[in-house]
Amino acid sequence: MNFNAQVLIIPGLGSSGPQHWQSLWEDQFPEFQRVHQQDWITPVRQDWVNHLDHVVMAEDDPGNVILVGHSLACTTIAYWARKYQRLIKGALLVAPSDTEASSYPPGTEGFVPIPLMPLPFPSIVVASTNDEYVTLERATQFARAWGSELVNIGPAGHINASSNLGRWPAGLVLLKRLDV
């Protein structure tokens, strides 16, 4: 599978370990670039948002960028879109965490409230029916508010390394749909 877009991998809280599909995609596609945040454990929203913008705008053609966010990165992307209104190719938003839920880990208080406005680019929200960090109902609310297509992949937990997705070929198919 070939991609024409510049794909930026954006992990969530704690980053994505070596068995996470985001890391496996980076191994499979060396041209994909990971956005490294300064602090993965106690994130500061403004730092994450500003750094994401810096990385996107450093690309030769920001309009050819696809963001691949997981968990807290989805909220980061929503804040980034609200602040900067950049016109990129699209975003794949996987397992968008509900930072407003009481079950969400501490340390992310700066990521509330979750922006609920249309994103200025095409996007796909991928959710599961048994994600411990977001209910399917909330993920559906996010997708509607952001103007995203919602893809429910069934019981896949937080769609991370514990979900045993490996290289997650079905996710790559969704990513390819944004690369038009």
Side-chain angles (χ1 to χ4, degrees), residues 31-50:
E31 66 273 19
F32 288 11
Q33 178 185 344
R34 180 179 292 232
V35 175
H36 293 278
Q37 296 291 355
Q38 182 178 356
D39 187 344
W40 290 111
I41 306 303
T42 53
V44 175
R45 180 183 81 207
Q46 201 59 30
D47 292 348
W48 279 35
V49 169
N50 290 342

Side-chain angles (χ1 to χ4, degrees), residues 147-169:
S148 306
E149 176 186 349
L150 176 69
V151 176
N152 174 352
I153 64 168
H158 194 45
I159 314 176
N160 57 14
S162 298
S163 302
N164 296 315
L165 298 170
R167 293 187 185 275
W168 194 30

